[in-house]
Structure formats: structure tokens, C-alpha cells
Amino acid sequence: LHSLHWLLPVLLPPPQLSPALHSWKSSGKFFTYKGLRIFYQDIVGVVGSPEIVVLLHGFPTSSYDWYKIWEADLEVLSMIALDFLGFGFSDKQRPHHYSIFEQASIVEALWGIWGSRTAGSTFSLMTMEIPLLRNFSTGTSRICLVGLP
């Protein structure tokens, strides 16, 4: 049975979503990165605010980690939270060689989409994933580590 562990997600139906997760998914969006669907949430803050906060979830979770920030209704900030490839509502490719470098490229692709709509903006990064940080050398005005002991 151990050698067939990869088959379980194919054989078993996905679990029912809780009402909160269903709401999170239905209020989100998808963009395509190299043919793969990546789920994200975004909020546009006060017009003229150049700050965009990018919220990156830890392992093995999803953008839903940040739902309380959305519930706080912080209309001052523009925020983006995505599900990394293989997590949450983003595509889960099998087989696929997942890497932190690819995840960083996906975040940068999302920045490109947002940056084209919000010229002159600066990005602040809030993350629970330290290994991801070394892949962002440009385009980030501030980095905040969250939830670390």
C-alpha cells in the first residue's frame, strides 16, 4: 500500500468544504502560471496608497491562514494572499518537481499582474517561510516574519 500512496488523492473524493472555506474560495480569483491555476485573494486599499502587502502562507497550509486579516476589513492596505502551487485551491500537479524557486517565481508573476495595475507601488512581504525569503532580492520594500517562535 505504501507504494500506492500517490494514488490516494485520485481514488478518494475531496472532502466537503466548510462554509468558511467555501466562502474563501468563492471570493478569490485564479491566475495562470505556465498553464497552472494559482488561487489568490486580493484587496485594493485606499486609492493612492502605494503599499501592497503580500501575505505568504507557511508549510503545509494555505492562504486561508490570513483570513482574520480579511475579516478585519482593513481598507487602508492593499493586500494579496496566494496559495502556493500544490497547496490550498491552487493546482496540485502529479508528478511535479516542486521547488522553492518555482514558488518564488509564481509570487513574482502575481506581483507582475498587480504591479501593472498599480504603477509606482511598493511591496511588503509577510511570510512564515524563511527559505522563500532568499529568493526575493528586488521589488520588496519591507519583509516581516510572522508566526515564528
Side-chain angles (χ1 to χ4, degrees):
L1 183 62
H2 178 68
S3 62
L4 298 177
H5 71 280
W6 62 272
L7 240 179
L8 290 178
V10 176
L11 297 175
L12 298 176
Q16 290 275 336
L17 294 179
S18 69
L21 274 174
H22 180 72
S23 174
W24 184 254
K25 183 178 183 181
S26 62
S27 65
K29 302 171 186 160
F30 287 88
F31 78 99
T32 302
Y33 175 82
K34 295 186 178 180
L36 302 167
R37 288 173 25 105
I38 306 298
F39 176 83
Y40 71 100
Q41 287 276 1
D42 61 359
I43 293 176
V44 177
V46 174
V47 175
S49 174
E51 186 86 22
I52 299 171
V53 179
V54 182
L55 306 166
L56 304 176
H57 66 79
F59 176 83
T61 60
S62 71
S63 61
Y64 190 67
D65 284 353
W66 306 104
Y67 80 95
K68 288 195 176 196
I69 291 176
W70 261 254
E71 286 181 348
D73 198 24
L74 300 172
E75 295 177 358
V76 175
L77 298 172
S78 292
M79 295 186 290
I80 307 169
L82 79 152
D83 287 343
F84 289 124
L85 181 63
F87 296 88
F89 298 119
S90 291
D91 281 351
K92 294 154 189 72
Q93 293 295 103
R94 290 186 180 95
H96 186 82
H97 177 72
Y98 292 90
S99 77
I100 201 76
F101 303 107
E102 180 181 43
Q103 303 290 20
S105 295
I106 290 168
V107 172
E108 289 176 336
L110 185 55
W111 284 358
I113 292 168
W114 256 75
S116 66
R117 295 189 309 199
T118 55
S121 294
T122 58
F123 291 92
S124 293
L125 202 56
M126 293 182 73
T127 184
M128 296 178 209
E129 277 298 309
I130 291 176
L132 194 61
L133 295 178
R134 75 181 116 208
N135 296 299
F136 295 105
S137 57
T138 61
T140 306
S141 63
R142 193 175 346 173
I143 293 174
C144 178
L145 299 174
V146 178
L148 298 173

